[in-house]
Amino acid sequence: MSATLSTRGPARDAVVANALSRRRQRINLLVEALCLLATVVGLAFLALILATLLYLGFSGLSATVFTTITKPPGSHGGLLNAIIGSLIQTALGTAIGTPIGLLVGTYLSEYARGSLLGEAVRFVSDVLLSAPSILIGLFVYTVMVSPFGGFSGWAGAVALAVIVIPIVVRTTEDMLRLIPVALREAAVALGAPKWKSIVFICYRAALDGIATGVLLAIARIAGETAPLLFTSLGNLNWSLSLTQPMSSLPVTIYQYAGSAFDDWVQLAWVGALLITFGVLALNVLARIVLRPRT
Amino acid sequence: MSQTVAAPARSRRPLGDLAFEVLATAAGILVLALLGAIIVSLFIGGLPAFRQFGVGFLTSADWDPVQQVFGAVVPIYGTIITSILALLMAVPVAFGIAFWLTELAPAWLRRPVGTAVELLAAVPSIIYGMWGFFIIVPFMGDYIQPFLIDWLGDLPLVGFLFQGPPFGTGIFTAALILAVMVIPFIAATMRDVFQTVPPVFKESAYGLGCTTWEVMRSIVIPYTSTSVVGGIMLGLGRALGETMAVTFVIGNTNRISTSLFGPGNTIASLVALEFPESPAGSLKLASLLALGFLLFVISFIVLAISRLLLRKGKPA
């Protein structure tokens, strides 16, 4: 025994070394177990939220939810105006924000490499990406609602557009940067002006990445509540006018969930179920779109 | 002479090319203008409150619509304390998830689990609010808070943090919901930066006989520490401005309570809640906009630091 150990050192140190090794292994095992636990906890929260939504929202799901507008408590209302309002504002917000975000992303990737202005734009865009959405609502309130005398669907759409821009900027720039230089050079060698090589070569090559960004942006603004509270306000009546206060699913959920009426709370859960699974489906779709690239 | 040759060459540049560059640059400048406009509009909107109360706005704990006296101390305190508590809970869990995803998970599980964690970040905040209000608040009020009050409420020095009636709502519950919300952001950032460590560094440490945890502690964390702090700051920036989830569960009381279970408010929750009762042009609305300005300043600083750290930590 001691003969075999003596090649590595005195027997006493080997005992110490073995004890130390066991301790290190134990600590390692403990940390690994804690990390697994942390992951399980994270996944458990997601499962818990989804299970709650299914359990409390699914039972209230019926055709009337989609065919009837919001009504006073006790009269079997639905969420039709909220769903349509959300669709309109989300679509408009995306339609306004996407081209701007696309151009900014193009500027950062194609025109501003290394320039000081480009650095500033990139920095500000990244800050806006995480800026509290409630402040974007307050901002649109001060520039669109308060001077022009009223809450409107337009104001809501603009607030959502401001949220869309930095998301599209980020993905567009990242995706355009992945385009090989050789591709651009090939276009230039054929005599194409720079804008044509960007629009017809680079955009096309980066299309799935850019589409991912737009999908993620839609998913993000579809669930936004805080900016709409100060801009489109919410509307319990049927209204498609963009110059009037406009209903939206998240704001209706907010109003209903905090109410004292059981049927309103039930509808809030249905709305929550719809919006969450819609948003998660968009996210999964976005990841599938991106998959071939990574 | 060479200049006269260069000039026509320049003018041959297609008009579409110039127009596109101008358009793209204008869009870039628009983003800068947007940030400036947000700051300026909130500041101008809050100006009447700053004029009326001066520095007192930052030091007064009053929020009295009847007397028309407004101060920002309580919501600022609530914003900071809930965010810090949330980070204390979120960072260890997020670190565990990132560690597990990068070093421990079997390869076939990495993608689905990573996606699930990212989906947690995609759940709208109003859903967290509802879920927190209807599920977590009763659970906290019935089980967690009475338990903690019984066990920790009588401790010397820290006992006061765990005293008071178990309402279920309050600072601690808000921080817990915030923690769940920022975990995926911090975990995703940490995972991404952990993956930037060159494999040869880790392999050298493994070759010396290090355990997985020792490699993480002695190689990965020192190599990525700047970016890790940046990721945590990003989570802090998210938590500071979170509105809907907090509004549902914090109890909405303009009071600084010593107990973690006491009700409170944050800048965002106060603005969301009081805005409908603030007529245009009123001093109260100006105070809310002033609060918005303060929140913007705080989050801008935090997010700016976060971006700088993340960029600095990125290997060139």
Side-chain angles (χ1 to χ4, degrees):
Chain A
M1 182 75 184
S2 68
T4 54
L5 280 174
S6 66
T7 56
R8 282 188 261 157
R12 207 161 55 91
D13 286 359
V15 171
V16 173
N18 277 336
L20 195 61
S21 169
R22 271 202 302 280
R23 205 175 71 107
R24 288 169 54 211
Q25 293 297 340
R26 271 205 303 275
I27 290 176
N28 188 50
L29 212 62
L30 179 72
V31 174
E32 287 189 7
L34 285 176
C35 287
L36 183 64
L37 182 71
T39 311
V40 170
V41 165
L43 295 181
F45 276 119
L46 181 67
L48 206 56
I49 291 172
L50 297 184
T52 308
L53 288 172
L54 281 174
Y55 180 70
L56 291 171
F58 202 69
S59 57
L61 208 55
S62 68
T64 39
V65 172
F66 302 99
T67 55
T68 323
I69 68 159
T70 49
K71 283 182 183 168
S75 48
H76 301 290
L79 294 167
L80 179 64
N81 51 339
I83 294 170
I84 298 290
S86 260
L87 287 177
I88 291 175
Q89 288 172 84
T90 306
L92 272 177
T94 313
I96 300 170
T98 303
I100 300 175
L102 197 61
L103 278 173
V104 178
T106 309
Y107 168 71
L108 289 178
S109 156
E110 307 297 319
Y111 293 102
R113 290 199 187 178
S115 87
L116 205 62
L117 181 66
E119 281 297 313
V121 171
R122 185 176 298 117
F123 182 76
V124 165
S125 176
D126 280 349
V127 167
L128 283 180
L129 188 64
S130 309
S133 60
I134 186 172
L135 297 181
I136 289 164
L138 279 180
F139 160 65
V140 174
Y141 172 82
T142 60
V143 297
M144 276 185 79
V145 175
S146 131
F148 300 114
F151 299 96
S152 67
W154 276 121
V158 169
L160 295 181
V162 174
I163 299 171
V164 167
I165 292 172
I167 304 175
V168 176
V169 170
R170 181 75 286 139
T171 44
T172 304
E173 193 200 348
D174 289 348
M175 289 304 142
L176 286 180
R177 276 171 181 264
L178 290 178
I179 307 290
V181 181
L183 207 59
R184 300 168 212 267
E185 286 170 350
V188 173
L190 289 173
K194 190 171 183 180
W195 74 273
K196 271 193 178 165
S197 93
I198 292 171
V199 174
F200 294 108
I201 309 292
C202 295
Y203 280 176
R204 192 168 292 178
L207 192 63
D208 49 359
I210 294 171
T212 304
V214 176
L215 283 176
L216 289 176
I218 296 173
R220 166 89 190 274
I221 61 173
E224 280 291 350
T225 317
L228 296 181
L229 285 176
F230 313 107
T231 51
S232 62
L233 189 68
N235 191 339
L236 293 179
N237 301 310
W238 177 252
S239 164
L240 289 180
S241 166
L242 283 166
T243 53
Q244 295 295 313
M246 186 173 257
S247 185
S248 64
L249 209 40
V251 172
T252 309
I253 293 172
Y254 177 55
Q255 290 163 339
Y256 276 23
S259 77
F261 313 108
D262 285 344
D263 58 334
W264 274 21
V265 173
Q266 171 70 54
L267 265 180
W269 281 113
V270 175
L273 176 74
L274 292 176
I275 214 156
T276 308
F277 279 85
V279 164
L280 293 190
L282 277 173
N283 268 277
V284 171
L285 184 67
R287 279 171 177 80
I288 292 170
V289 169
L290 189 63
R291 191 166 239 180
R293 190 161 275 281
T294 49
Chain B
M1 191 61 203
S2 65
Q3 277 176 338
T4 53
V5 173
R10 216 179 146 72
S11 70
R12 271 212 308 275
R13 193 177 171 197
L15 196 66
D17 221 10
L18 190 70
F20 194 74
E21 178 165 1
V22 168
L23 205 62
T25 312
I29 291 169
L30 178 78
V31 170
L32 291 184
L34 204 57
L35 182 85
I38 293 174
I39 298 175
V40 169
S41 72
L42 290 177
F43 183 74
I44 292 177
L47 207 54
F50 289 128
R51 279 222 185 92
Q52 175 81 25
F53 305 115
V55 186
F57 188 70
L58 293 173
T59 56
S60 159
D62 291 322
W63 190 270
D64 191 342
V66 181
Q67 308 273 342
Q68 290 285 300
V69 182
F70 303 103
V73 164
V74 179
I76 290 178
Y77 167 82
T79 304
I80 292 172
I81 197 81
T82 48
S83 300
I84 303 249
L85 271 177
L87 279 191
L88 287 178
M89 289 186 258
V91 168
V93 178
F95 172 79
I97 293 175
F99 185 14
W100 192 80
L101 280 177
T102 49
E103 304 290 334
L104 304 173
W108 59 276
L109 261 179
R110 282 181 196 185
R111 197 176 169 104
V113 173
T115 306
V117 171
E118 282 163 20
L119 287 186
L120 197 58
V123 174
S125 66
I126 177 100
I127 306 300
Y128 278 102
M130 252 189 109
W131 177 70
F133 183 70
F134 287 103
I135 308 294
I136 297 298
V137 165
F139 185 71
M140 295 291 285
D142 292 344
Y143 301 103
I144 306 288
Q145 291 184 353
F147 174 81
L148 290 175
I149 291 167
D150 279 355
W151 281 87
L152 302 173
D154 297 328
L155 286 180
L157 294 177
V158 295
F160 69 90
L161 291 172
F162 302 99
Q163 285 169 355
F167 291 122
T169 54
I171 302 266
F172 183 72
T173 310
L176 182 70
I177 301 283
L178 280 177
V180 179
M181 297 182 71
V182 299
I183 281 172
F185 285 102
I186 303 178
T189 318
M190 280 189 184
R191 179 193 58 182
D192 292 347
V193 301
F194 286 170
Q195 278 167 350
T196 64
V197 179
V200 69
F201 288 5
K202 290 192 282 185
E203 284 156 9
S204 315
Y206 282 123
L208 290 173
C210 287
T211 61
T212 317
W213 164 239
E214 284 163 350
V215 171
M216 177 51 89
R217 201 187 59 186
S218 317
I219 307 294
V220 177
I221 292 180
Y223 188 83
T224 56
S225 55
T226 317
S227 301
V228 166
V229 176
I232 294 171
M233 296 292 274
L234 188 67
L236 179 62
R238 288 270 170 182
L240 286 170
E242 184 41 57
T243 312
M244 304 319 296
V246 173
T247 309
F248 269 100
V249 299
I250 199 167
N252 297 311
T253 310
N254 199 66
R255 183 156 56 84
I256 295 181
S257 45
T258 53
S259 169
L260 291 180
F261 302 145
N265 59 11
T266 68
I267 294 178
S269 75
L270 185 70
V271 172
L273 210 68
E274 298 274 328
F275 178 82
E277 290 137 38
S278 310
S282 67
L283 187 60
K284 189 174 171 191
L285 185 69
S287 303
L288 292 179
L289 290 168
L291 277 176
F293 175 74
L294 293 176
L295 176 60
F296 194 88
V297 171
I298 298 171
S299 2
F300 183 85
I301 294 171
V302 169
L303 291 171
I305 295 173
S306 154
R307 288 294 156 192
L308 290 175
L309 289 174
L310 282 173
R311 192 165 301 168
K312 197 174 147 213
K314 200 182 275 179

